[in-house]
Amino acid sequence: MKDYIEERAVEIAYYIIEHKATVRQTAKQFGVSKSTIHKDVTERLSQINPALAAEARKVLDVNKSERHIRGGLATREKYLHMAHR
């Protein structure tokens, strides 16, 4: 694996942990796809630093379990703004 990919995977993990960021937020921050973020954290990082990979995975699992709530809140906000026009 190329050095820059390993460095990116580690940076991504630290970003996710520090900011409690979602895959989408992280992808936007690093200018890569959601697939790349997922692959970096789940596959590449587990070979480089398994402990860091597990820590980042915990944050992503929490985000995944809460995403239906966030989606519902976003929809609610959308319709509240539409009603005030």
Side-chain angles (χ1 to χ4, degrees), residues 12 15-26 56 59-60 63:
I12 284 170
Y15 181 83
I16 289 170
I17 294 165
E18 186 177 321
H19 296 95
K20 304 274 190 253
T22 63
V23 171
R24 281 178 189 249
Q25 291 167 337
T26 307
V59 174
L60 293 179
N63 288 339

Side-chain angles (χ1 to χ4, degrees), residues 1-2 5-6 8-10 12 35-50 53:
M1 189 179 329
K2 301 221 188 275
I5 294 175
E6 289 182 8
R8 182 187 66 207
V10 171
I12 284 170
S35 301
T36 301
I37 298 297
H38 183 71
K39 186 165 185 140
D40 280 357
V41 173
T42 57
E43 294 177 21
R44 295 179 178 132
L45 193 60
S46 59
Q47 294 173 356
I48 302 164
N49 186 337

Side-chain angles (χ1 to χ4, degrees), residues 54 58 82:
K58 284 181 198 172
M82 290 174 71

